Amino acid sequence: MTKLIKLECILLILFISLYQLTIGQEAKIVNHTVSSPDQVNAGDTIAVTLTLEIQPGWYIYSSEDINSRQGMHTLQWQFQQLASGIKAVGDPAYPEPLPNGQYSVYMGKGNIITQRFIVDENIAKDKLTLRGKLIYQACDDEMCYPPMTENWERIIDIVNTKKKVSHVDSLWEEIQKSTALFPNEEEYERYKSLNPLEMRRYDNERYLQTSQLALEFWKAHSDDPRREKAMRIFMSADPWFISKNRNETLEGISNWKEVNPKVFLQSIIIDTIARNEWLREGEAMVDYVLHSANSSISDKEKAAFAQLARDFRLKARFFHAKSDDISEKTYWSSIFQELLLHMHTYADQPNLDARAKDLLSALSGYSVDVATEYWKMIEQETAGGQDEHLGLKHLYEAAREHILITDVTAGNTPLDMRFTALDGAEVDVKSLRGKVVLIDFWATWCKPCLEELPHLKEIYDKYRNQGFEIIGICLEQEDARNKAKETLKSYAIEWPQRFEGKGFASDSYRLQYSINSLPTAWLLNKEGAIIHKKARGAVLESLLKEQLKEK
């Protein structure tokens, strides 16, 4: 028996020795490559990546706790003590592992670990040396090699120790660029050609980049006045966290036109570990602002609302995938409870009404009846505190106004609009009682709106002398004023146009009447009540003929 044990030990030692001899050779099971820029400027943020290529049939245990708790030797990428002049930003970002029974592992190619570093702006060296170790255990379905340790080294040249642009400004510029929807028209056209899964992945990568840059700024520049804005950018990025390796069913779809959007949303597999980490990072930022002695009550309110808005967007993203046995009111109840808590916590902040309008206007795009009910609940909730708290007073008034407007949009009360038109004329919808009026919400960037203009012009010319009028509500930014005028001129449009210049997101009429998409066209009867909210195309003329006959 003793001889057998000795023989096994000898074989194991030979086995280990033979494996170690293969390091750097083609027979090696795990090959790794460490990459970084060869040259950097002082003040740069750099990414150092470790790429692992694992031979087919083999795997290594990931760094997740589920493996270490069971005694497995997990993947570790270690850095030796860093030289002065460079510091790590956060921890290494490991790729998403694959499930393998009760463990999680890495297999195949494309396993990339990333560590970001900041090079000191005042570094005096002309070279930096990074050294570290890679520790892993390679296995297949029948056996495991002993844990292996491999050393690595990278030398980086410092080419400019007197940067003209500071690191903090260059990082902020990166953040600003990353928030742009598309860098150019060609990229937008490419995006439109993607299938729904590819679009979500495209969005995910863009949002992840913005999140990572904003998080880096937050952690590395605690004294910069833009730090809290970086926090709000992080909170609003909203990556999808679509799993890279677990959506085979969706990837196999050839005809996306036949796919039900609800089924698509229900079928997406999310990397919950990464998503939960992103949620924790955001909540930690907000918590820091809420408990900082340097934060004003306004700063705290902004941070708290950023978290509330984030939670709403995450709910909204999967609204159409909710189970049919869950009512809309139940689905949104957690968001409404957050809103109630927010308004009582910041009862003296004068912008509570704007916050509620923003949130509930967005909610009405998904569940208009629920949003209306929440406004009524807010009216009841704030009625008793409006005399003591400025914010609650504004909120109560906003709730009362919304309830009245709901009656208008439901056609129960005549519409009341007064404004100075784009050409300087004073417009009052009340003065048009006795006529049939179309209220056309539009913008120059809305292609269907522009396509409808020739038809509206034709209808206007045909029925104008019979008691038909049109009022345009242009939802453009101020810098598009001339473009709007040129568009109207090119289509020979003569009816009055309201132009507030605040854009779609902030236009007071859009917010007041919860206009969530363009084109929107309301037809008013001769008493000024809304009788149809999609009065376009052939429907418009049919309705118009009917209403003009009315005495």
Side-chain angles (χ1 to χ4, degrees):
M1 185 68 176
T2 304
K3 290 182 178 179
L4 180 59
I5 294 173
K6 288 182 177 178
L7 178 60
E8 289 177 345
C9 290
I10 292 170
L11 288 173
L12 180 59
I13 293 170
L14 286 171
F15 181 71
I16 295 172
S17 300
L18 286 171
Y19 175 69
Q20 290 175 330
L21 284 173
T22 66
I23 294 177
Q25 306 301 316
E26 291 183 359
K28 188 176 174 185
I29 293 172
V30 178
N31 290 287
H32 79 266
T33 304
V34 177
S35 303
S36 70
D38 294 321
Q39 296 180 333
V40 299
N41 290 305
D44 276 349
T45 296
I46 63 172
V48 180
T49 60
L50 171 70
T51 303
L52 296 172
E53 181 177 341
I54 304 164
Q55 295 298 326
W58 292 86
Y59 59 85
I60 60 177
Y61 292 104
S62 76
S63 56
E64 293 190 334
D65 291 341
I66 190 174
N67 294 325
S68 56
R69 286 198 301 266
Q70 298 180 76
M72 300 297 105
H73 291 276
T74 61
L75 174 66
Q76 298 177 53
W77 191 29
Q78 299 179 350
F79 292 84
Q80 294 181 1
Q81 184 173 1
L82 296 174
S84 60
I86 187 170
K87 66 178 181 179
V89 179
D91 297 319
Y94 287 86
E96 181 186 0
L98 297 170
N100 186 17
Q102 57 185 325
Y103 307 109
S104 65
V105 301
Y106 297 125
M107 292 187 276
K109 301 179 181 179
N111 300 289
I112 301 174
I113 309 171
T114 303
Q115 175 67 64
R116 295 175 73 87
F117 294 92
I118 293 178
V119 180
D120 195 288
E121 295 177 13
N122 299 313
I123 190 168
K125 301 177 181 180
D126 58 3
K127 289 185 184 296
L128 276 175
T129 301
L130 296 175
R131 295 187 181 90
K133 296 180 180 180
L134 174 66
I135 303 171
Y136 62 88
Q137 185 173 22
C139 303
D140 66 8
D141 292 336
E142 299 180 1
M143 62 173 289
C144 286
Y145 283 122
M148 295 298 303
T149 299
E150 299 176 24
N151 297 318
W152 60 269
E153 179 178 288
R154 287 288 296 173
I155 298 176
I156 303 171
D157 290 328
I158 309 297
V159 297
N160 176 15
T161 58
K162 299 292 183 182
K163 276 190 64 122
K164 294 181 180 179
V165 180
S166 69
H167 161 71
V168 63
D169 289 333
S170 112
L171 178 56
W172 188 253
E173 186 177 341
E174 280 190 76
I175 292 173
Q176 297 297 96
K177 287 180 180 178
S178 74
T179 58
L181 286 177
F182 301 99
N184 50 56
E185 186 68 25
E186 291 75 17
E187 185 68 5
Y188 175 57
E189 291 300 322
R190 187 180 78 81
Y191 177 81
K192 291 195 296 184
S193 71
L194 301 176
N195 67 46
L197 180 61
E198 291 169 339
M199 281 186 173
R200 299 296 82 76
R201 283 183 164 155
Y202 181 102
D203 293 338
N204 186 59
E205 290 305 311
R206 184 164 58 85
Y207 295 149
L208 277 175
Q209 180 191 21
T210 300
S211 290
Q212 290 164 356
L213 291 169
L215 180 61
E216 178 184 328
F217 193 98
W218 170 269
K219 290 186 173 181
H221 303 290
S222 58
D223 296 328
D224 194 284
R226 296 168 291 191
R227 188 176 187 234
E228 288 187 18
K229 187 172 182 181
M231 178 267 291
R232 292 195 292 276
I233 291 173
F234 177 91
M235 297 292 285
S236 63
D238 301 338
W240 278 78
F241 296 106
I242 297 175
S243 174
K244 294 180 180 177
N245 303 302
R246 300 178 188 175
N247 282 287
E248 295 89 349
T249 302
L250 293 175
E251 288 168 351
I253 294 173
S254 57
N255 187 359
W256 281 93
K257 292 182 179 179
E258 297 180 357
V259 178
N260 184 300
K262 179 173 182 175
V263 174
F264 168 61
L265 288 171
Q266 290 175 335
S267 302
I268 293 177
I269 298 176
I270 301 297
D271 180 357
T272 55
I273 294 175
R275 183 188 62 185
N276 291 340
E277 179 60 26
W278 176 78
L279 290 171
R280 283 193 294 270
E281 290 282 13
E283 285 154 13
M285 290 179 179
V286 172
D287 191 63
Y288 175 87
V289 175
L290 296 182
H291 294 91
S292 172
N294 296 322
S295 297
S296 67
I297 188 67
S298 176
D299 294 334
K300 294 178 180 181
E301 189 278 331
K302 289 177 183 176
F305 190 78
Q307 183 168 324
L308 171 54
R310 177 205 69 180
D311 293 345
F312 169 79
R313 289 191 299 272
L314 294 179
K315 273 281 189 182
R317 176 173 288 172
F318 290 98
F319 170 73
H320 295 294
K322 76 175 183 65
S323 172
D324 292 336
D325 58 1
I326 298 176
S327 70
E328 293 187 9
K329 184 176 180 180
T330 299
Y331 185 83
W332 294 109
S333 61
S334 62
I335 299 299
F336 186 61
Q337 292 304 315
E338 279 191 68
L339 178 59
L340 289 178
L341 177 61
H342 187 86
M343 71 187 202
H344 285 300
T345 303
Y346 302 102
D348 290 311
Q349 290 300 292
N351 63 340
L352 283 187
D353 57 331
R355 295 303 198 196
K357 286 178 181 178
D358 286 346
L359 192 70
L360 296 182
S361 174
L363 175 58
S364 68
Y366 300 90
S367 304
V368 64
D369 291 340
V370 175
T372 298
E373 183 174 352
Y374 285 166
W375 273 117
K376 292 177 180 177
M377 294 170 69
I378 287 174
E379 181 196 20
Q380 297 169 2
E381 189 79 18
T382 56
Q386 58 169 318
D387 294 334
E388 301 176 12
H389 302 285
L390 180 62
L392 296 186
K393 179 178 184 292
H394 289 176
L395 194 51
Y396 175 80
E397 291 169 352
R400 290 290 302 149
E401 178 186 31
H402 184 86
I403 292 167
L404 292 173
I405 288 172
T406 300
D407 283 339
V408 171
T409 55
N412 299 325
T413 303
L415 178 68
D416 182 13
M417 278 185 177
R418 290 186 298 272
F419 59 87
T420 302
L422 195 57
D423 62 0
E426 296 300 322
V427 177
D428 186 346
V429 174
K430 279 185 180 179
S431 68
L432 299 177
R433 299 287 192 264
K435 294 186 176 184
V436 181
V437 180
L438 181 75
I439 309 294
D440 180 39
F441 294 87
W442 70 287
T444 61
W445 45 261
C446 169
K447 186 177 179 181
C449 299
L450 300 182
E451 290 174 344
E452 181 73 2
L453 284 178
H455 177 246
L456 288 183
K457 171 65 174 171
E458 179 184 344
I459 296 293
Y460 182 70
D461 290 342
K462 184 176 181 180
Y463 292 99
R464 180 180 184 182
N465 293 331
Q466 300 178 42
F468 175 56
E469 294 291 344
I470 301 179
I471 293 175
I473 310 294
C474 185
L475 305 180
E476 287 283 6
Q477 297 280 2
E478 182 58 40
D479 58 8
R481 180 180 290 268
N482 288 335
K483 184 178 181 181
K485 288 181 177 180
E486 291 168 3
T487 300
L488 294 168
K489 183 178 180 180
S490 68
Y491 287 97
I493 301 302
E494 302 170 7
W495 52 84
Q497 299 287 329
R498 175 183 178 273
F499 189 98
E500 190 175 47
K502 293 183 178 180
F504 183 85
S506 302
D507 185 274
S508 59
Y509 275 12
R510 188 206 73 80
L511 293 172
Q512 187 175 12
Y513 296 108
S514 298
I515 305 298
N516 292 303
S517 63
L518 294 181
T520 291
W522 294 347
L523 190 66
L524 313 184
N525 62 18
K526 292 180 180 180
E527 288 73 42
I530 298 172
I531 59 168
H532 204 285
K533 296 182 181 178
K534 295 181 179 179
R536 302 176 62 242
V539 172
L540 172 59
E541 187 164 16
S542 176
L543 289 168
L544 188 54
K545 288 178 179 179
E546 181 180 328
Q547 290 299 314
L548 288 173
K549 290 179 183 178
E550 296 286 335
K551 298 297 183 181

